[in-house]
Amino acid sequence: MAQGLINANPVVYERKERRIRDPVVPADVDEYTADPIDQLEIFDHIRDIKDPEHPYSLEELKVVSEDAVEVNDKHSHVRVTFTPTVQHCSMATIIGLCLRVKLMRSLPPRYKVDIRVAPGTHATEAAVNKQLNDKERVAAALENPGLVDMVDQCLAPTYE
Amino acid sequence: MDLFEGNFELKEIQKLEGHTDRVWNLAWNPATGISGIPAMLASCSGDKTVRIWQQNSFDTSWECKAVLDETHTRTVRSCAWSPCGKLLATASFDATTSIWANVGGDFECVSTLEGHENEVKSVSWNPAGSLLATCSRDKSVWIWEVLPGNECECLSILQGHTQDVKMVQWHPFLDLLFTCSYDNTIKIWAEDGDSDDWHCVQTLNEASNGHSSTVWALSFNAAGDRMVTCSDDLSLKIWESDPKATPPAEDGFTPWRHVSTLAGYHDRTIFSVHWSREGIIASGAADDAIRLFIRNEEGQHFKSLLMDAPFGAPVSEPSINSDSSCGSTCFCYYMYPISVDGPSYKLLLRKEKAHDMDVNAVQWSSQVSLNLGRDMLGIEVIPSLGDLGIEGTKLLASASDDGTIKIWELASVA
């Protein structure tokens, strides 16, 4: 990624202050707990995912926000609407894939996850949405070692 | 109004566990389950293996007889038995298709078909077992000739789909190949005379009242004159090939046309659809449910109107159907002539939480049949379980992201 960054100078935003929740550790969700999974919990799973080409989190780049998470625990359904930093961002599929993989790994298997680009924020919105929600293509992508490495790098925990 | 509502249920006979990843597809061996030969089922999975399951003749329980591993290096997406039941073809994300032969209960890989650029999504045998079709994310469909010694030779590479091809399926008794794709279309392919050249004879797209998103699967009725397709657009569509309604082309091909859309029944992507010999359509979807539909010729004109409304262009000229006896609902014929001859289909039952996760495949066993009778109105009626006799158990198999396969029996509720 030495040359031609998709978005060379992204705007970086302040992180939101974290609400402390006890005693549940968000990274270690117990699916038997009576606490329903809520918006903040989902947001906590995805806010620190790193951008594929910048050393910033998706939260810092306002790619995701708490408001972009819709969750219905009773129906085991989550929808995350993310906002690519630029209209023609070719990283949109990778970002979406990272979101999907992170939620796949963090949520109980009963959850149905829909990932989509915020309406009007991407030139090939429909194509990106279609690909991100085709589980067969997602499964095939996740058998591609190069792609998995890329996703894992974005998902690697950040130590501050 | 709902003749059968509440009268039938899908009863879980057994859950087959063993795969360590999602199960993508399954196939009943067509030569088993008859004449005292125990029924056999193949399943394939994201765990890169194929499992062969067989019914125990003593207590009819199912067990895993063989695990076909160490051949495919990635997900095995699809599997299909040859019509004689002796060979099993498996299609994998590793870009190859393997053919396995049953040698005294052991399965040996006897041939590997290479050529696709990337993931092979589906494989299907023609009715004679002499041709094999495969399709891939590389947008192409390949037709292979099965030669003596199980060697396979590529006869033709069909280009035409503009995206990932999800499924190939031969017509049940004609050498017509049907393919469906991420490009939202269904294509029909036929051979040019005896030149071994294949070409697309029809494309069913949105303009022909087709699907508006990925078409995942298709299946034929027993007579081979109707087809059902399922899609990411959350609908099932019924298509018909009727020489009386659509005159055949010079080459004898009778074009297919849309006759009905079953919308509003599914909440998430429909991955699988299978039409039983008795006329029951099963669907498996990403909402974890299995649904069964049956043709309903009674009192459904209005419903059919609602379902077809987005596609049927209103006409100014009233068109009266002389066969119609629907009384007040005839209004619909004036507005939407498309539903005049469209048979309507109704939900027979919905099995919620059939699996813990997405249902990827549903397939009726081909052998054991229950005979549908007809009531006084000419409506097909499923006999009660008591009428079925000892062998009259209708089995459905389903496969899921939850890693299991389930065997179901369509049973009447006491």
Side-chain angles (χ1 to χ4, degrees):
Chain A
M1 214 108 9
Q3 48 157 3
L5 290 175
I6 302 298
N7 181 6
N9 294 300
V11 184
V12 181
Y13 300 86
E14 290 256 334
R15 291 183 196 207
K16 220 171 153 181
E17 203 173 310
R18 304 200 172 210
R19 274 180 269 166
I20 307 298
R21 325 207 306 158
D22 53 359
V24 184
V25 185
D28 181 26
V29 180
D30 178 3
E31 70 177 280
Y32 298 104
T33 179
D35 274 351
I37 292 170
D38 63 11
Q39 210 180 14
L40 179 63
E41 184 175 336
I42 306 276
F43 183 55
D44 280 341
H45 285 307
I46 58 176
R47 62 198 301 175
D48 292 327
I49 296 173
K50 284 192 287 292
D51 183 84
E53 57 175 23
H54 293 290
Y56 303 112
S57 71
L58 296 187
E59 180 186 16
E60 287 172 304
L61 298 175
K62 277 217 169 125
V63 172
V64 293
S65 66
E66 196 176 333
D67 293 340
V69 176
E70 296 160 77
V71 58
N72 184 331
D73 187 65
K74 212 174 129 216
H75 292 106
S76 308
H77 180 237
V78 178
R79 183 161 76 175
V80 177
T81 306
F82 70 101
T83 308
T85 53
V86 280
Q87 283 267 334
H88 52 271
C89 182
S90 62
M91 288 293 160
T93 359
I94 295 286
I95 295 173
L97 195 60
C98 290
L99 289 166
R100 177 167 290 288
V101 171
K102 187 66 186 12
L103 293 177
M104 231 159 66
R105 292 178 184 171
S106 314
L107 296 176
R110 66 182 162 89
Y111 258 86
K112 305 291 181 186
V113 179
D114 291 324
I115 308 282
R116 61 166 191 173
V117 172
T121 64
H122 198 273
T124 56
E125 185 183 321
V128 172
N129 286 342
K130 190 170 184 181
Q131 186 151 6
L132 286 175
N133 292 297
D134 181 322
K135 74 169 184 186
E136 187 185 62
R137 291 174 70 135
V138 169
L142 295 178
E143 289 186 359
N144 175 337
L147 261 179
V148 174
D149 278 355
M150 207 158 169
V151 169
D152 279 337
Q153 275 174 33
C154 296
L155 299 189
T158 315
Y159 301 100
E160 297 174 36
Chain B
M1 171 129 173
D2 277 325
L3 280 179
F4 316 118
E5 196 176 35
N7 292 342
F8 289 86
E9 63 167 346
L10 266 185
K11 216 164 80 184
E12 186 180 325
I13 300 292
Q14 199 176 332
K15 181 157 83 173
L16 312 183
E17 293 174 290
H19 281 297
T20 56
D21 201 317
R22 60 158 60 106
V23 188
W24 275 113
N25 194 219
L26 46 81
W28 293 90
N29 186 324
T32 65
I34 39 163
S35 318
I37 304 165
M40 187 186 272
L41 190 68
S43 63
C44 59
S45 159
D47 68 12
K48 311 182 180 74
T49 73
V50 176
R51 280 176 176 258
I52 307 291
W53 309 85
Q54 198 172 37
Q55 197 166 21
N56 186 320
S57 36
F58 302 107
D59 61 359
T60 70
S61 69
W62 292 78
E63 52 189 335
C64 182
K65 283 290 180 191
V67 181
L68 286 50
D69 57 1
E70 292 174 357
T71 293
H72 287 301
T73 56
R74 290 180 56 184
T75 286
V76 189
R77 175 64 183 89
S78 162
C79 54
W81 294 97
S82 62
C84 65
K86 290 190 179 120
L87 299 172
L88 179 71
T90 56
S92 168
F93 282 2
D94 67 14
T96 70
T97 304
S98 289
I99 297 180
W100 306 77
N102 185 349
V103 184
D106 281 335
F107 285 82
E108 283 174 16
C109 179
V110 293
S111 190
T112 300
L113 285 56
E114 291 173 350
H116 281 295
E117 281 171 35
N118 44 43
E119 297 94 357
V120 187
K121 299 290 179 77
S122 173
V123 58
S124 176
W125 300 82
N126 75 332
S130 55
L131 300 173
L132 203 62
T134 57
C135 64
S136 161
R137 187 165 66 88
D138 68 14
K139 304 168 192 175
S140 71
V141 174
W142 292 44
I143 295 180
W144 310 77
E145 187 176 15
V146 186
L147 302 168
N150 302 317
E151 284 298 311
C152 289
E153 188 182 278
C154 179
L155 280 185
S156 194
I157 299 176
L158 315 179
Q159 310 276 4
H161 280 296
T162 57
Q163 291 285 348
D164 187 4
V165 189
K166 296 298 194 184
M167 190 191 199
V168 281
Q169 180 68 54
W170 290 93
H171 186 273
F173 44 82
L174 301 171
D175 275 344
L176 277 178
L177 181 66
F178 292 68
T179 58
C180 54
S181 163
Y182 189 85
D183 69 13
N184 308 351
T185 73
I186 300 133
K187 283 184 180 283
I188 306 167
W189 312 81
E191 196 175 8
D192 289 324
D194 46 10
S195 60
D196 277 354
D197 233 11
W198 291 72
H199 68 291
C200 177
V201 288
Q202 195 178 8
T203 300
L204 304 170
N205 55 21
E206 216 174 339
S208 35
N209 296 316
H211 292 289
S212 57
S213 190
T214 304
V215 189
W216 279 97
L218 62 94
S219 177
F220 294 93
N221 68 341
D225 60 352
R226 285 203 199 98
M227 163 175 76
V228 58
T229 52
C230 68
S231 165
D232 179 52
D233 70 10
L234 311 184
S235 74
L236 298 174
K237 284 178 184 282
I238 313 285
W239 308 83
E240 189 176 59
S241 170
D242 179 2
K244 285 195 292 260
T246 325
E250 275 176 34
D251 57 7
F253 172 73
T254 305
W256 289 69
R257 63 192 186 103
H258 169 266
V259 290
S260 194
T261 297
L262 284 71
Y265 291 104
H266 297 82
D267 305 322
R268 295 185 69 82
T269 306
I270 314 164
F271 290 118
S272 175
V273 67
H274 195 237
W275 207 325
S276 83
R277 290 189 179 182
E278 299 72 29
I280 306 167
I281 296 170
S283 72
D287 59 10
D288 311 343
I290 294 173
R291 292 168 179 80
L292 304 183
F293 297 88
I294 192 159
R295 188 170 172 175
N296 176 29
E297 295 165 32
E298 164 251 21
Q300 290 287 311
H301 300 309
F302 199 70
K303 202 168 175 185
S304 167
L305 157 72
L306 293 178
M307 291 189 292
D308 284 324
F311 307 103
V315 290
S316 49
E317 289 289 313
S319 66
I320 298 165
N321 184 322
S322 56
D323 296 338
S324 157
S325 56
C326 68
S328 58
T329 57
C330 272
F331 171 70
C332 62
Y333 294 144
Y334 292 90
M335 291 299 291
Y336 298 100
I338 193 166
S339 61
V340 169
D341 28 50
S344 60
Y345 291 77
K346 60 174 289 188
L347 188 69
L348 181 63
L349 70 83
R350 178 172 57 217
K351 181 74 184 173
E352 300 284 1
K353 283 277 151 214
H355 282 273
D356 294 336
M357 295 171 73
D358 295 7
V359 180
N360 296 325
V362 283
Q363 194 158 95
W364 295 100
S365 64
S366 50
Q367 299 304 346
V368 185
S369 70
L370 46 82
N371 296 311
L372 282 180
R374 281 185 178 269
D375 69 10
M376 286 161 64
L377 295 166
I379 297 162
E380 289 176 332
V381 176
I382 300 172
S384 67
L385 198 60
D387 301 331
L388 301 179
I390 288 169
E391 288 227 307
T393 313
K394 189 63 192 174
L395 297 179
L396 177 77
S398 61
S400 164
D401 274 0
D402 68 15
T404 71
I405 296 133
K406 285 185 179 181
I407 309 286
W408 307 86
E409 180 191 339
L410 179 58
S412 62
V413 176

